Each structure stands twice: as structure tokens, then as C-alpha cells.
């Protein structure tokens, strides 16, 4: 109680100071001016327009798309001289170049595709022979009429690089050439077509070439069809000794004594290029060519290739061709090839 008594004067002094300070602040308070300014004139703000420079972007739309493939396949087998279980020394090599360019702007589309293949195989005791040989170039210009239909015109060239021969075994058991079957531009085909195209997506198209013309050309003098007399003047013998009046006959539809033939026909062309899985692709092309003078005997050709991507460079392919053309042969022709090699895709 004695301690509390001593603190009482201190608290009373603090309270008196606070009341005096509050009284001083009250005297300093200023009342707000509530009068209204009747001066309505004022100076407008001087706002200056500023043009902000916008950099010009040099952008151009590229309507072109390009794809390329370059590949090489090589196979080789070797056996010792005392090998008893069968087999023969051999080697085979094949190269391919494929390129496609596509230009699309509004309803117009132009596509060009080139497919080049050439390979050779050589077995011990035999001459080296072509095992794959093709030159193919297709160009198409189209105008879209609807989502899936377009009118088109196209130009196609087909031939081969090397000569294909007939062979016979000589007295020493080695191969010898007895004749030539085909060569570059012998035959060569030029095809111009006009019609409608059905293309529901980018992997499939079907062309109906109601107005199609094809020129068959034979430039190699060894293959040119000749009459019996013309053949005798060139080679000194008759092509058919049993009948000296009989010539070589037609070759690839070209008549004797000529090296050119033109046909007007209906053409049906189907193209498929589709990825079945991430690393498996199927590419196929079917072509039907029916001469308007003989619609009952059309020519058919089907090319198909399965490609499996093992790595970014290693590729396995299974390809084949079925062909029927009575101007070449009365039966169906076919070939098949299985290859493992390097394949470079651009763009990757």
C-alpha cells in the first residue's frame, strides 16, 4: 500500500499533461472552405499525339513443301573354295532417290514427284545384271472444286536407266549376251491426262483421266521393230530364217518400221502413302490404261512398298510390282525385292 501511494502523484501528472496537449491541438484545427468556385473557365490540357513507330516484319508465306529420300542397299555373300553345303559368291547393290514437292495456294495445287531406282546383282560365273531399274517422273496441276474433288491435268514420264539383255551359257559355262530386250527410252512413255481427282485426305487420291494421251517411243536401234528386209539390210540375216518374209513384229505396241506410237485412252490412277504405325509406311500406286480403240484389253500396273524404320538411318523395305500389258507379254509379270540399308529422310 505504501508503494501505491508513491505512484499516485506520477499518474496524476501524466494525465494533466495529456489533457493540456489535446486542448492545444483543438485550437489549431481549421474549418474546411465550403464555398463553391463559380469560375467555369479553365485551360484545357495540351495533349500531344505521339506516333509510336511499329517495326515492319518482313514475313512471307511459303506455299511450297518438299520431301526427299536418299538410300542405298548392299548385299554380299562369300564362300570358301571347299564349301560343300551350297551357295555362290554374289553381291548386289541398289540406290534410290525420291523427291516430292507440293505447292498449294487457295484452290490451286501443283505436285511433282520423281522416283529413281537402279541396282545390279552379280553371281559368280555370271555377268552383272540390273535387278531394279526405274525412271519415273509425275507432275500434276489441279484446281479444287469442293472439299474432296478437283479438276486436274498431269504429265508423266517413265523409262529405265540401263539395258536389259538375254543371255546364254557359252562353251566355258560363262554368260554371253544374245540380244537386247529394253534400254533407256526403249521403251519410253510420255502420258498427258485431263480429268477429275478424288482426294479425301493427304494420304489417298484417285484420278479419273477421261482425256488421256500416251506416246510410246523406241530410240535404240537394236530394239526398233523392223520388217524382214530392213532387218536383213542392217544385220545381214533375216530375223526368222524359216520365213524370210516375216519381220520382228510389233514391240511394245510400236509397229514395224516405226519408233513412235500415240494412243488416246482412259486412265485410272490411285495413289496411297499412309503410315500404318509410327515406323511402318505403305506406299502404293495403281495405274489402269485402257486404249479407246480396245477397251477390252487394258494395261494394269501396281507398285507397292512397305518400309519399316529401324533407326533414324537404317531402313527395311519390301517392294513389289505386278504388271500386265499385252503389248509386252500376254501373261502377268511381277517382281519382288527385300532390302535392308541406309535411308536418309529430308526433312527429318
Amino acid at each position: 500500500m505504501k508503494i501505491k501511494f508513491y505512484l499516485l502523484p506520477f499518474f496524476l501528472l501524466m494525465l494533466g499533461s495529456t489533457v493540456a496537449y489535446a486542448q492545444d491541438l483543438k485550437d489549431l484545427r481549421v474549418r474546411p472552405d465550403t464555398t463553391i468556385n463559380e469560375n467555369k473557365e479553365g485551360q484545357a490540357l495540351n495533349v500531344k499525339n505521339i506516333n509510336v513507330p511499329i517495326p515492319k516484319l518482313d514475313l512471307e508465306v511459303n506455299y511450297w513443301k518438299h520431301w526427299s529420300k536418299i538410300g542405298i542397299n548392299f548385299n554380299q555373300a562369300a564362300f570358301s573354295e571347299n564349301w560343300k553345303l551350297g551357295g555362290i559368291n554374289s553381291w548386289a547393290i541398289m540406290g534410290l532417290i525420291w523427291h516430292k514437292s507440293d505447292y498449294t495456294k487457295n484452290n490451286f495445287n501443283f505436285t511433282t514427284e520423281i522416283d529413281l531406282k537402279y541396282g545390279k546383282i552379280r553371281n559368280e560365273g555370271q555377268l552383272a545384271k540390273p535387278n531394279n531399274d526405274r525412271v519415273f517422273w509425275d507432275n500434276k496441276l489441279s484446281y479444287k472444286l469442293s472439299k474432296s474433288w478437283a479438276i486436274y491435268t498431269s504429265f508423266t514420264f517413265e523409262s529405265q536407266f540401263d539395258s536389259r539383255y538375254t543371255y546364254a551359257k557359252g562353251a566355258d559355262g560363262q554368260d554371253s549376251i544374245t540380244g537386247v530386250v529394253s534400254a533407256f527410252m526403249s521403251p519410253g512413255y510420255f502420258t498427258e491426262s485431263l480429268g477429275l481427282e478424288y482426294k479425301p485426305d493427304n494420304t489417298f487420291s484417285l484420278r479419273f483421266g477421261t482425256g488421256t494421251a500416251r506416246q510410246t517411243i523406241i530410240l535404240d536401234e537394236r530394239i526398233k521393230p523392223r520388217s524382214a528386209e530392213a532387218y536383213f539390210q542392217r544385220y545381214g540375216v533375216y530375223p526368222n530364217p524359216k520365213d524370210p518374209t516375216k519381220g520382228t513384229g510389233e514391240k511394245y505396241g510400236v509397229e514395224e518400221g516405226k519408233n513412235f506410237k500415240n494412243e488416246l485412252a482412259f486412265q485410272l490412277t490411285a495413289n496411297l502413302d499412309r503410315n500404318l504405325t509410327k515406323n511402318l509406311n505403305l506406299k502404293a500406286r495403281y495405274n489402269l490404261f485402257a486404249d479407246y480403240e480396245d477397251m477390252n484389253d487394258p494395261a494394269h500396273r501396281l507398285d507397292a512398298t512397305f518400309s519399316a524404320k529401324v533407326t533414324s538411318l537404317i531402313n527395311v523395305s519390301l517392294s513389289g510390282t505386278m504388271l500386265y500389258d499385252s503389248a509386252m507379254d500376254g501373261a502377268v509379270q511381277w517382281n519382288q525385292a527385300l532390302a535392308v540399308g541406309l535411308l536418309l529422310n529430308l526433312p527429318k
Side-chain angles (χ1 to χ4, degrees):
M1 295 297 295
K2 188 176 182 179
I3 297 175
K4 294 181 180 179
F5 177 78
Y6 287 133
L7 291 176
L8 181 60
F10 175 76
F11 286 121
L12 293 175
L13 179 62
M14 291 293 297
L15 179 61
S17 299
T18 303
V19 173
Y21 182 73
Q23 184 66 33
D24 294 341
L25 291 178
K26 185 177 180 180
D27 296 338
L28 296 175
R29 183 178 298 170
V30 178
R31 290 181 177 273
D33 186 3
T34 58
T35 58
I36 299 175
N37 186 4
E38 297 180 357
N39 186 10
K40 299 181 179 180
E41 296 182 359
Q43 185 177 1
L45 296 176
N46 187 15
V47 179
K48 182 182 294 185
N49 293 328
I50 300 176
N51 294 324
V52 179
I54 300 176
K56 183 178 180 181
L57 301 178
D58 189 16
L59 299 178
E60 293 183 1
V61 179
N62 188 1
Y63 298 100
W64 284 97
K65 293 182 180 179
H66 305 279
W67 303 268
S68 297
K69 294 181 181 180
I70 302 174
I72 185 169
N73 302 316
F74 181 76
N75 297 309
Q76 182 267 342
F79 303 87
S80 64
E81 293 183 359
N82 62 339
W83 183 260
K84 301 296 192 299
L85 299 179
I88 188 172
N89 296 338
S90 64
W91 59 262
I93 188 170
M94 188 194 78
L96 65 91
I97 297 176
W98 175 85
H99 177 80
K100 181 179 180 180
S101 293
D102 183 283
Y103 177 88
T104 302
K105 184 177 181 180
N106 299 329
N107 292 326
F108 285 96
N109 172 259
F110 172 73
T111 303
T112 181
E113 178 181 356
I114 185 168
D115 189 10
L116 307 177
K117 296 178 181 177
Y118 182 70
K120 274 201 167 185
I121 184 171
R122 188 182 188 279
N123 296 323
E124 185 179 11
Q126 300 179 5
L127 297 174
K129 305 170 184 177
N131 65 343
N132 208 327
D133 193 355
R134 192 185 191 202
V135 178
F136 175 81
W137 185 31
D138 181 62
N139 302 271
K140 183 199 68 175
L141 177 65
S142 64
Y143 180 81
K144 185 178 288 188
L145 301 175
S146 65
K147 180 180 178 181
S148 302
W149 290 91
I151 185 171
Y152 83 93
T153 180
S154 66
F155 169 78
T156 306
F157 168 68
E158 297 179 78
S159 189
Q160 62 194 63
F161 288 104
D162 205 353
S163 299
R164 182 174 180 85
Y165 301 98
T166 56
Y167 303 89
K169 290 289 184 181
D172 56 356
Q174 300 294 318
D175 277 348
S176 62
I177 296 175
T178 59
V180 59
V181 179
S182 59
F184 177 70
M185 289 300 295
S186 299
Y189 299 100
F190 295 92
T191 306
E192 305 84 33
S193 184
L194 175 67
L196 291 174
E197 179 185 43
Y198 174 68
K199 189 175 181 180
D201 54 49
N202 291 327
T203 66
F204 176 77
S205 66
L206 184 62
R207 303 183 198 173
F208 300 89
T210 54
T212 302
R214 183 175 74 176
Q215 298 79 45
T216 305
I217 299 175
I218 299 178
L219 297 182
D220 196 311
E221 291 295 324
R222 301 170 298 174
I223 305 172
K224 180 181 177 180
R226 303 176 186 274
S227 64
E229 187 62 28
Y231 193 93
F232 180 82
Q233 291 178 0
R234 179 175 176 84
Y235 298 104
V237 295
Y238 288 101
N240 297 281
K242 296 181 179 180
D243 185 2
T245 63
K246 189 176 181 180
T248 60
E250 289 187 357
K251 289 188 177 181
Y252 303 104
V254 179
E255 299 177 356
E256 290 182 0
K258 299 181 179 180
N259 60 2
F260 175 86
K261 179 182 180 181
N262 185 62
E263 301 171 90
L264 298 178
F266 169 78
Q267 181 175 253
L268 179 68
T269 304
N271 286 286
L272 177 67
D273 190 351
R274 183 170 296 171
N275 291 326
L276 304 181
T277 64
K278 181 180 179 181
N279 295 320
L280 181 62
N281 175 266
L282 170 61
K283 181 178 176 62
R285 176 185 175 90
Y286 168 74
N287 186 77
L288 178 147
F289 184 87
D291 192 332
Y292 281 128
E293 294 184 357
D294 189 10
M295 294 287 290
N296 295 324
D297 188 24
H300 305 266
R301 176 167 180 148
L302 173 63
D303 296 271
T305 301
F306 285 95
S307 299
K309 189 176 181 181
V310 180
T311 68
S312 59
L313 285 177
I314 299 177
N315 187 77
V316 179
S317 64
L318 176 63
S319 60
T321 300
M322 294 187 66
L323 171 65
Y324 172 77
D325 190 343
S326 59
M328 296 185 187
D329 195 285
V332 175
Q333 307 173 63
W334 63 273
N335 68 45
Q336 174 268 325
L338 176 63
V340 179
L342 302 178
L343 183 67
L344 177 62
N345 287 276
L346 299 173
K348 293 183 178 181

